[in-house]
Amino acid sequence: MSLDSDASSQGGDHRGFRQITRDRLLFEMLRSTRKDSKSTWKVLIMDKFTVKIMSYACKMADITEEGVSLVEDLYKRRQPLPSLDAIYFIQPTKENIVMFLSDMSGRSPLYKKAYVFFSSPVHKELVAQIKKDSSVLPRIGALSEMNLEYFAIDSQGFITDHERALEELFSENAEGSHKYNACLNTMATRISTVFASMREFPRVHYRVAKTIDASTMTTLRDLVPTKLAAGVWNCLMKYKTTIPEFPQTETCELLIVDRSIDQIAPIIHEWTYDAMCHDLLCMDGNKYVQEVPSKNGSATEKKEVLLEDHDPVWLELRHAHIADASERLHDKMTNFISKNKAAQLHQSRTGGELSTRDLQKMVQALPQYSDQIEKLSLHVEIAGKLNNIIREQCLRDVGQLEQDLVFGDAGTKELINFLRTQLGTSRENKLRLLMIYAALNPEKFESDKGAKLMQVNLLFKILLVHVKTFTFILTCANNCCSFHSVTWDQSKDEDNPTNIYFFIAELAGLSADDMVAVNNMRCLCGPDTKKSSGGFTLKFDVHKKKHSHRKDRTGEESAWALSRFYPILEELIEKLSKGELPKDEYNCMNDPSPSAHVLPTSSSVRTSPAHSMRSRRTGGTWARPRGSDDGYSSDSVLKHASSDFKKFGQRIFVFVIGGATRSELRTVHKLSSKLKREIILGSSSLDDPPQFITKLKLMSAAELTLDDLQI
């Protein structure tokens, strides 16, 4: 959670996002207390939320340098230090105020003086509660609103820490729920504090709710972006009158969307180094557990390492394709051996190539090279693990089918054939394939059919029916049960989507719990304006021409294999930058000023036909020309890593309700260089595929039981 190494070189009003966040915490908050305080050292007290704000933006060494000798938890019992001043960085909640007053009231306060900084605007009632205690008032050195209540997870990314946003905002039980409004209000406040910190006043664009016709009622989950945009706008209006030097005219762009714009990005396998680490390795956040030789050399011991920006190798490779990262690591190791005499000597003695374990042993023998060798050996080990998992799980075949489905080069027939022949595919990967299929065919997952599907799946497990022919029970709308026999016969049943869907679900061997996740994806689908007003009449013809959900992008044909996929957010950001967001899909809370139309020019997004004209990749090779610079390669990242923001245009902020993905975070880095504008991605959370699938399952109020089948 440390600061980017390059960010410190930026100065003035052109600092990067995380640099500004860091400077406000260190200088505007901690350093400001030096003026009136006689204590050389102070105690910093935070709650569970604000300690994360601090840890994502600053190192402990940074905090100590500002005169903090001790960091304490507000809710843990603390030793009285009456000779020291205390700095409170807390959320403005009733519980926190009670704890603060308990510390500082009475004859024997815990600290000499208190400097209180709230992470967001504090209610007048809470201020009045503080003023009531006459013993506390003389001991308060400052009472201020920092308006900084977000986690700066990346140099160009933040989250509001709403891990249950999908459940609270988009589930069927969200209607009329207290959690719905509470979640939106808190989220709006935290997003607004980003603009308070950056001293930016945005044009607030948001995705509008879609309805089938005038007679169709708009649901609350359809209105989530609209309501959040209104909440952010209200906060910004208050900032214009309460925060000194807050802009009075628009200075940047903000786009608010929800997860429904792209249901595939959180599920599909992303083939960059960063994404694969978090998807395939059992990591706790950014913590990776590495096995290193013990000091006595007799066994190995586990060591926790952080994959973050302070690691130059990680910073270089994180957005690179896994094959590119592997090649670069091999080149680095070869270069290290050729220039390091100790490594050459070790290699000559062993008569073979240096292994990761050999490099780790050299760390202990050569402390002067320890940092360089440690970083190199760490990433060689990680890349080796990832490549082994790719081979063992046949992920290249899975990834090829995923991308073929998305780009229209494969359909139902190919999916069924894959499930029939690739018997070694894990249940998790089958689930992800079916979820992608569901996202591409939302009309097959209507509410009543989704419930029936889960019931049928349970009956499959109980009755142990044959894969090719099975009997199942469907509960009718009037609670009357009827029996049907379903047999997948391509020549007869290609017009019956229900038969095909049930067949695929059973062929994949998914559990009822898995099918809950598939069924809940419909909660992220907007109304289908093309749906017939009558009964179910859609045809499912495997011989029909396949439609692509994505269009191939120009100028990126030379990318590595399986890097064809891109998130929809990429197109939206480019359109926003050019002022070309569709008027019927996106509204703006404020009328832009004339200067807003003067936007940086960039290469236009290709308008291509709906069907992919590009030949299907076979996945037989990772290869691409080494000299290409498509924005994804680590060379490209490094080339623009120290870009001077003075040369950039107005900032673009994008907020995704319901969780952002690492592919979307990578996209904002790529487009910042391309569009010459600092692009900052915000979200309620940053989710990897396993996390996103778990959250989809939690959207259901209760587990489906046998009693629900009403047999």
Side-chain angles (χ1 to χ4, degrees), residues 493-555:
D493 295 328
E494 58 191 19
D495 289 339
N496 190 335
T498 308
N499 284 7
I500 297 175
Y501 179 73
F502 288 156
F503 178 76
I504 293 174
E506 176 60 13
L507 188 59
L510 302 180
S511 66
D513 191 44
D514 292 333
M515 297 315 301
V516 168
V518 179
N519 183 53
N520 282 342
M521 289 188 70
R522 64 188 167 79
C523 295
L524 300 178
C525 293
D528 186 1
T529 56
K530 298 180 181 179
K531 187 169 68 174
S532 171
S533 58
F536 180 75
T537 58
L538 291 172
K539 299 292 184 181
F540 200 131
D541 189 347
V542 294
H543 295 302
K544 284 184 179 179
K545 196 170 184 180
K546 297 160 187 169
H547 294 275
S548 59
H549 194 72
R550 296 283 198 282
K551 302 171 186 178
D552 285 303
R553 294 175 64 79
T554 56

Side-chain angles (χ1 to χ4, degrees), residues 55-195:
S55 61
Y56 272 107
C58 308
K59 300 177 183 177
M60 190 61 207
D62 299 327
I63 299 172
T64 304
E65 192 173 334
E66 295 304 320
V68 173
S69 59
L70 183 64
V71 177
E72 294 271 35
D73 185 332
L74 178 66
Y75 284 90
K76 288 186 178 179
R77 189 172 183 178
R78 285 162 277 132
Q79 178 183 355
L81 297 169
S83 62
L84 295 181
D85 291 345
I87 301 172
Y88 284 81
F89 179 38
I90 55 177
Q91 290 181 286
T93 65
K94 184 177 180 180
E95 295 77 12
N96 285 354
I97 297 299
V98 169
M99 291 299 298
F100 163 70
L101 292 176
S102 175
D103 289 349
M104 298 302 299
S105 63
R107 295 183 178 181
S108 303
L110 293 184
Y111 311 105
K112 184 178 180 181
K113 207 168 189 178
Y115 297 84
V116 185
F117 297 89
F118 294 112
S119 57
S120 58
V122 58
H123 291 292
K124 294 181 180 179
E125 295 81 3
L126 296 178
V127 176
Q129 186 178 351
I130 295 174
K131 290 181 177 180
K132 283 182 182 179
D133 196 323
S134 58
S135 65
V136 173
L137 280 178
R139 297 166 183 161
I140 296 178
L143 196 65
S144 177
E145 293 174 346
M146 280 296 293
N147 291 313
L148 200 162
E149 198 168 278
Y150 55 87
F151 300 165
I153 59 169
D154 185 85
S155 59
Q156 291 177 230
F158 71 92
I159 60 173
T160 58
D161 194 38
H162 288 90
E163 293 290 340
R164 308 197 76 165
L166 277 180
E167 177 186 352
E168 294 175 355
L169 300 178
F170 297 99
S171 69
E172 292 181 335
N173 298 317
E175 301 282 341
S177 168
H178 168 72
K179 292 182 179 179
Y180 178 93
N181 290 325
C183 180
L184 281 177
N185 291 337
T186 308
M187 196 179 293
T189 299
R190 292 178 182 174
I191 294 171
S192 302
T193 64
V194 172
F195 298 98

Side-chain angles (χ1 to χ4, degrees), residues 26-69:
L26 294 179
F27 307 145
E28 189 176 328
M29 185 174 73
L30 299 184
R31 187 173 294 183
S32 66
T33 62
R34 292 182 179 180
K35 300 177 183 178
D36 302 324
S37 176
K38 296 180 181 179
S39 300
T40 305
W41 294 100
K42 298 180 183 64
V43 182
L44 175 61
I45 301 160
M46 297 178 283
D47 58 40
K48 291 182 179 179
F49 189 84
T50 54
V51 74
K52 290 183 179 179
I53 296 175
M54 183 69 74
S55 61
Y56 272 107
C58 308
K59 300 177 183 177
M60 190 61 207
D62 299 327
I63 299 172
T64 304
E65 192 173 334
E66 295 304 320
V68 173
S69 59

Side-chain angles (χ1 to χ4, degrees), residues 514-674:
D514 292 333
M515 297 315 301
V516 168
V518 179
N519 183 53
N520 282 342
M521 289 188 70
R522 64 188 167 79
C523 295
L524 300 178
C525 293
D528 186 1
T529 56
K530 298 180 181 179
K531 187 169 68 174
S532 171
S533 58
F536 180 75
T537 58
L538 291 172
K539 299 292 184 181
F540 200 131
D541 189 347
V542 294
H543 295 302
K544 284 184 179 179
K545 196 170 184 180
K546 297 160 187 169
H547 294 275
S548 59
H549 194 72
R550 296 283 198 282
K551 302 171 186 178
D552 285 303
R553 294 175 64 79
T554 56
E556 297 179 8
E557 287 81 357
S558 60
W560 291 87
L562 299 180
S563 62
R564 188 179 178 188
F565 178 83
Y566 61 91
I568 292 295
L569 204 63
E570 185 168 339
E571 288 186 340
L572 289 178
I573 293 173
E574 288 183 325
K575 289 178 181 178
L576 175 63
S577 180
K578 294 183 291 184
E580 296 179 357
L581 283 176
K583 301 296 184 183
D584 59 333
E585 296 180 25
Y586 295 90
N587 285 351
C588 184
M589 293 295 297
N590 40 353
D591 293 325
S593 57
S595 61
H597 300 288
V598 185
L599 299 173
T601 58
S602 62
S603 57
S604 61
V605 179
R606 177 177 63 129
T607 304
S608 58
H611 303 290
S612 172
M613 302 301 293
R614 180 178 165 192
S615 61
R616 178 173 177 263
R617 292 193 175 172
T618 62
T621 177
W622 290 123
R624 69 157 174 80
R626 291 285 293 178
S628 69
D629 181 6
D630 56 9
Y632 290 89
S633 67
S634 52
D635 274 345
S636 179
V637 173
L638 287 175
K639 186 185 300 181
H640 304 295
S642 58
S643 296
D644 190 348
F645 289 117
K646 293 180 181 179
K647 301 176 183 177
F648 279 26
Q650 291 185 344
R651 289 185 175 99
I652 294 176
F653 295 81
V654 182
F655 191 86
V656 182
I657 310 166
T661 70
R662 296 188 187 275
S663 61
E664 290 165 340
L665 186 58
R666 169 178 54 83
T667 292
V668 302
H669 282 273
K670 170 189 172 183
L671 291 182
S672 290
S673 300
K674 179 179 179 180

Side-chain angles (χ1 to χ4, degrees), residues 420-535:
R420 277 175 168 166
T421 57
Q422 301 293 330
L423 301 179
T425 305
S426 68
R427 182 178 59 83
E428 291 78 9
N429 288 330
K430 290 178 182 177
L431 172 59
R432 289 166 72 167
L433 280 169
L434 187 56
M435 292 176 77
I436 291 173
Y437 181 83
L440 295 171
N441 300 277
E443 69 277 6
K444 311 299 185 294
F445 298 83
E446 296 172 359
S447 179
D448 56 340
K449 289 190 294 182
K452 292 174 183 178
L453 174 63
M454 290 186 287
Q455 296 174 0
V456 169
N457 193 67
L458 279 180
L459 285 173
F460 285 156
K461 309 306 175 186
I462 298 170
L463 302 177
L464 298 176
V465 293
H466 193 270
V467 170
K468 297 285 288 183
T469 305
F470 47 83
T471 302
F472 64 93
I473 300 172
L474 294 180
T475 305
C476 300
N478 60 0
N479 292 326
C480 294
C481 297
S482 60
F483 291 82
H484 302 276
S485 178
V486 177
T487 304
W488 166 244
D489 186 337
Q490 182 176 328
S491 62
K492 298 179 181 179
D493 295 328
E494 58 191 19
D495 289 339
N496 190 335
T498 308
N499 284 7
I500 297 175
Y501 179 73
F502 288 156
F503 178 76
I504 293 174
E506 176 60 13
L507 188 59
L510 302 180
S511 66
D513 191 44
D514 292 333
M515 297 315 301
V516 168
V518 179
N519 183 53
N520 282 342
M521 289 188 70
R522 64 188 167 79
C523 295
L524 300 178
C525 293
D528 186 1
T529 56
K530 298 180 181 179
K531 187 169 68 174
S532 171
S533 58

